[in-house]
Amino acid sequence: MNNPTHKQLQLAPLDATGWLSEQPEDFKNWAARVGRWQHYRAGQFVYMAGDAADGVYGLASGGLEITFPLVGGEPVVIYRAEPGFWVGEQAGFSASPRTISLMAAVESRILHLPSRALEALVAEQPKHLLSFYKLCAINLTNAITLLSETLALTVRARVCRRLLKLTEGRSEADLTQDDLAKLLGVARATLRPCLNDLTAQGAIELGYRKIRVLNPALLALYKDEQ
């Protein structure tokens, strides 16, 4: 991993997308002073469930896989994060160990805001607690949305929603069919007919470790299917 030593970082693209982009300018300036860029190769863990909290992380490029140890410590994939995603605030502000594991799904560039800097900021300027509360709200909303989709929507609707989300601002999702099946919590045998149908309709194209969206409007037609 590579950490710059200069005092002021360039935050791009995180100053223009996701949670950080919506924060006050003085907060962004603080992040540029205390943040450190880190690079992770595919399959490398950022942290694991049970680790002590060490700050928050923002994904600038690449992709992150989030897993939760459910039964006997066996990890269950619960989310695939794309650039603009931030995580880590819950454990830090609750003084509890990490509850999830965070791994780079592909080569990724991540901004780390360390715990000591966070603690100093809110001690000196308590108003900035609101920024971290907003991050908690964003991640809680994401979790509730995923649960609701699992309970209420068809597999096809969930596939369409996930592909639309993963390809926001681009046309390809860098994941395999097995990866997508794990994200949705279904067997590959259940997922395959759905992908074949969407391919036949011209909505998507299956490639090597990629799924290309050709017709997002068609995916959007199915995204609320129950």
Side-chain angles (χ1 to χ4, degrees):
M1 290 183 294
N2 238 338
N3 288 339
T5 57
H6 52 273
K7 293 182 179 180
Q8 193 81 8
L9 296 178
Q10 294 296 318
L11 297 175
L14 292 176
D15 55 351
T17 184
W19 164 73
L20 184 61
S21 68
E22 300 170 354
Q23 303 317 307
E25 284 304 312
D26 60 339
F27 188 91
K28 293 178 187 176
N29 291 335
W30 165 82
R33 289 195 304 272
V34 305
R36 293 293 180 267
W37 286 112
Q38 300 179 345
H39 294 81
Y40 292 84
R41 64 183 183 274
Q44 184 177 2
F45 280 93
V46 180
Y47 58 75
M48 299 187 68
D51 286 352
D54 64 347
V56 299
Y57 293 84
L59 178 62
S61 64
L64 295 173
E65 185 174 280
I66 299 174
T67 59
F68 179 79
L70 186 62
V71 178
E74 187 69 22
V76 175
V77 179
I78 57 176
Y79 194 64
R80 172 70 173 261
E82 296 297 305
F85 174 80
W86 285 82
V87 70
E89 77 291 342
Q90 182 268 337
F93 285 98
S94 65
S96 58
R98 301 289 192 189
T99 57
I100 60 172
S101 296
L102 193 66
M103 184 190 76
V106 295
E107 186 175 346
S108 300
R109 181 171 179 253
I110 299 172
L111 183 65
H112 178 222
L113 305 178
S115 290
R116 280 187 289 184
L118 269 63
E119 293 165 2
L121 175 69
V122 298
E124 296 169 6
Q125 301 185 63
K127 67 176 184 177
H128 287 310
L129 272 172
L130 179 59
S131 292
F132 295 107
Y133 183 82
K134 288 179 178 178
L135 178 55
C136 286
I138 290 170
N139 287 334
L140 178 60
T141 299
N142 285 341
I144 293 173
T145 299
L146 289 174
L147 176 60
S148 300
E149 290 174 354
T150 301
L151 294 174
L153 300 181
T154 65
V155 171
R156 180 164 65 175
R158 292 165 57 203
V159 167
C160 292
R161 281 176 175 243
R162 194 54 59 91
L163 290 178
L164 287 169
K165 180 67 175 176
L166 291 172
T167 56
E168 285 181 348
R170 56 199 182 112
S171 62
E172 291 182 343
D174 296 322
L175 78 172
T176 67
Q177 294 175 45
D178 283 340
D179 292 335
L180 184 58
K182 290 177 183 178
L183 284 173
L184 297 172
V186 300
R188 181 168 177 176
T190 301
L191 177 66
R192 185 70 193 186
C194 176
L195 293 179
N196 287 341
D197 177 58
L198 292 172
T199 300
Q201 293 187 57
I204 64 173
E205 180 180 80
L206 302 176
Y208 177 69
R209 302 188 68 83
K210 292 181 184 294
I211 300 177
R212 182 175 294 109
V213 172
L214 304 177
N215 190 341
L218 185 54
L219 295 184
L221 287 178
Y222 295 122
K223 72 181 182 66
D224 297 324
E225 186 178 65
Q226 298 184 1

